[in-house]
Amino acid sequence: GWAGLAWAAALLLSVLGAQAAVGDFDPYRVLGVGRSSSQADIKKAYKQLAREWHPDKNKDPGAEDRFIQISKAYEILSNEEKRANFDRYGDAGESSQGYSQHQHHQFHHFHEGFYFDESFFHFPFNSERRDTSDDKYLLHFSHYIHEILPESYKKPYLIKVTSDWCFSCIHIEPVWKEVAQELEALGVGIGVVHAGYERRLAHHLGAHSTPSLLGLLNGKITFFHNAVIRENLRQFVENLLPGNLVDKITDKNYIHFLSNWKKENKPHVLLFDHMPVVPLLYKLTAFAYRDYLSFGYVYVGLRGTEELSRQYNINVYTPTMMIFKENIDKPADVVQARDMKKQLIDDFLSQNKFLMATRLTNQRLFQELCPVKKSHRQRKHCVVLLTGEGEKFAEAYEAFLSFAVANTKDTLKFVHIYNDRQPEFADSLLMNEEKYQGKSAVVILERRNSAGKIAYKTVEEPWRGSKEDNFILLDLLDQLRTDPGLLSSETVLADLNDELAPMFLIRWLYSTLDYISDCWDSLFHSNWREMMPLLSLLFSALFILFGTVIVQAFSDSSDTRDSPPSEKEETAAKTEKNDMSFSRESNSRIPKKGFVEVTELTDINYNSNLVRLRPGHMNVVLILSNSTKTALLQKFALEVYTFTGSSSLHFSFLSLDKHREWLEYLLEFAQDAAPIPNQYDKHFLERDYTGYVLALNGHKKYFCLFKPHRSGDEGGTLGSGEDYNSSLHIEARGKSSSSPGSRSIKNKLHKLSFWMERLLEGSLQRFYIPSWPSLD
């Protein structure tokens, strides 16, 4: 009890001490670095101090306090935003109260993999003790597919895959909590998948282990592969976003940037701030509104932005956001705040998504600007200028724009279209009337339903933009307020042409490049589980090309060379067989020209060619060495050729030079037929197994054994359980090592075809094994 009380008191004192010290907290002094130090210097100093003051290493009573301060100092200085804030205001943008609230976090948020958490005292492995702060983020499969995926086109998601009984999950918890809270406030979506309960979703995401952290943007998943610390996670989310969301604006390019409103048909937003890098909040905002607005960033601390700040009368000490529409000399709207919060920015931008007189370039814009009325009170009318491009129409457009600016009302939206780009739209409204040819016209319309039905009235005279035209239009809009029947004509409009559609090819090119860079990334981060399908395809292709040896049964071998040259190949084969008391029947089976497919058994194909062989299938494996390969394969092909018609038999060879251990492990189970000498036997390492043949039944886990034939032994029953004659291997070895004469090697496989017949009859002795050893 006393120890516990003393510990609690010490903790309280350290927290109070830390609070008292907040006022004069100087991260530079704590880390012992200068104000101009580079990130590398700061990191180096931090690592050195963290190692020295870590409470596990340093038993000084004040070590824990000191360590918390070091962590805090590093957090401020390693983050450019916080560092700039500290340099300017003497604090990291948090009140001292905020700091004391952070105490608990910092207490177990030690960067380089040092964590301290109450979970070390009780392990909340089971679901009852699970942290409830994740509950509001929990994702389910259908919720993910129908809501989160579509949302990912507006904002990135950071998703954690976790499970019960996962120690590392507890390990990353403190960092995850802090980062999730911080990023959510900036507009990042947060999700948690519990792999135990949401197996289908975890599988769909490709998360095969817990904990996994991944990012989701535009429906695309990216895995996080770094150390789980706050800075890395922030950087990861930032890297998910496209790189070209925000332009850097200076005195040189601001006029060009703001003048793009006409080409892009969008308002342009400028944020003035004193951070050298674009804040993450601003990048996220730019991503969310990229279809409606173009974004620029002005770093006011930079030389070369003075003219810009003077021109728009900027207070350089307060972050300022300005929105420019058709007039680039004066912002259409401004917001200033010491602390730009997401909610504030969202409210500001959602009220300014469109130009004063937007050009209709596609159906989506038309539907958003001119919504279908929901009730009589919510009548929305669109005033459309139908005009052309170029100088000839400039005056009429400018007059229409001035009218729009002077008559902004909630119930009215002003838009324009180019007749030649939207001919169907123009024809439906102007009915090809002569008086409008080559001139501009104004139409007031109201959408009645989403199928394209509208009520409208076309202003009698073409629009020139004169004072008289203005009065007529004003008068009509006044009447409309009291008399909805003014829109007397009705028609059904076809959907507008999408004027941005030619970009399709460019988009396709970008998405292809994206896909290639993804594959490259996956390779680099050895995310092998996801790359497996691709790699196995690659290996299969290579294997099919190079791994299969097609052995010609009757190649120009020494057999034929030994016989008189006048005789034909077939007779040569006959005489040789007859010498060896071959029966006529087996002679007649020998084909004139035969090929046998023999595959090398390697670790790549071992599973498919043996371990997972279908029931009833067998693999007949010839054991050979590099020096005996050619001769043995030719003879093997000759002996087994007549059995190649059976689809349940597969023929392979195994290199003794590579896989001797595997073979000796197997032969231990056939001790009576082929006893293995113990390692003190002087011939142990030199033992020659070339010419052995094993018939392996992968499914039933047994094999049959054929031992090489000895010269002069005509009647040995091979493969049976006869006693092993120890002179065999010495004699065979002597022969092969002194002069691996082709014939003596080939003789080893003499009578293999008889053994094959007995194999198919099922009369050979079977040696069972508990499981197939791996082939390393």
Side-chain angles (χ1 to χ4, degrees), residues 94 100 106 156 224 275 467 478 486 495 500 502 554 656 659:
E94 296 166 350
S100 64
Q106 293 310 326
F224 173 77
M275 299 290 172
K467 274 214 170 91
D478 251 4
L486 183 72
D495 282 2
L500 304 172
F554 285 89
L656 193 58
H659 303 298

Side-chain angles (χ1 to χ4, degrees), residues 32 180 334-335 455 460 630 734:
V334 183
V335 64
E460 292 288 328
T630 320

Side-chain angles (χ1 to χ4, degrees), residues 281-306:
L281 171 61
Y282 195 54
K283 282 187 184 175
L284 290 163
T285 306
F287 180 76
Y289 288 92
R290 66 193 183 286
D291 291 342
Y292 299 98
L293 304 161
S294 286
F295 291 82
Y297 180 72
V298 184
Y299 169 36
V300 290
L302 191 68
R303 288 227 313 280
T305 58
E306 297 92 349

Side-chain angles (χ1 to χ4, degrees), residues 289 293 323 343-354:
Y289 288 92
L293 304 161
I323 204 145
Q343 192 55 52
L344 178 74
I345 295 177
D346 279 348
D347 292 345
F348 175 67
L349 295 180
S350 53
Q351 289 164 15
N352 289 293
K353 276 160 61 172
F354 302 104

Side-chain angles (χ1 to χ4, degrees), residues 457-471:
K457 176 168 183 60
T458 307
V459 179
E460 292 288 328
E461 292 301 311
W463 174 271
R464 291 185 189 81
S466 63
K467 274 214 170 91
E468 192 186 344
D469 287 349
N470 276 320
F471 283 131

